[in-house]
Amino acid sequence: KAGVTQTPRYLIKTRGQQVTLSCSPISGHRSVSWYQQTPGQGLQFLFEYFSETQRNKGNFPGRFSGRQFSNSRSEMNVSTLELGDSALYLCASSAFPLPGQGADTQYFGPGTRLTVL
Amino acid sequence: AQTVTQSQPEMSVQEAETVTLSCTYDTSENNYYLFWYKQPPSRQMILVIRQEAYKQQNATENRFSVNFQKAAKSFSLKISDSQLGDTAMYFCAFIPNTGNQFYFGTGTSLTVIP
């Protein structure tokens, strides 16, 4: 099976612009989670989608949004970019059943390195 | 609230030696899953090992094994016969059986010295 793919791998934007990152999960996986990783803050949870519904959201401003399509592919969008948004954005997929039915391992993509100038 | 704590920001070990990375967590859940992930300089997060809380037997994967102490809420990772390729950031993670969000520790940077 192909792994989790993320596009683009590298992105350079300027303050005030917006950006869209894409994540294709492992085939058959219905849950997609997004994380922001920075040297100072570690791995910060952004949000999780399952069957096109956002089930969980981390503590990030409304400039960060996401969605999931019927084929489980997911996108995240950051509007009005700030310098502090420079980070590695990781996507992870899981063959999650519904809560209470047992969790499953998350498999990560290679990440998108976003640099905001 | 669910939290995961890794108290060792950095560690080093001589090649071929054994090293143990610590992780503690806090939860009121009884059923949950614990993971160790490795993130080498390439930044690709790789699953190292997984443990189900209801299993008393400690998980092992080749040179990697865990010491799971449920009562103490401790989940340490032991790497035997350390290799240069083990140099990476290691993250401990937790998810309750009833939840759908993973909780990660802040990571331990491990350097294997030749």
Side-chain angles (χ1 to χ4, degrees), chain B residues 61-76:
Chain B
E61 283 290 341
N62 301 314
R63 298 182 295 107
F64 299 88
S65 62
V66 299
N67 183 4
F68 173 49
Q69 302 288 330
K70 190 173 183 180
K73 295 181 181 174
S74 170
F75 183 61
S76 60

Side-chain angles (χ1 to χ4, degrees), chain A residues 86-106:
Chain A
S86 293
L88 179 69
Y89 289 88
L90 292 167
C91 164
S93 78
S94 174
F96 249 130
L98 295 174
Q101 296 181 8
D104 199 1
T105 303
Q106 280 194 336

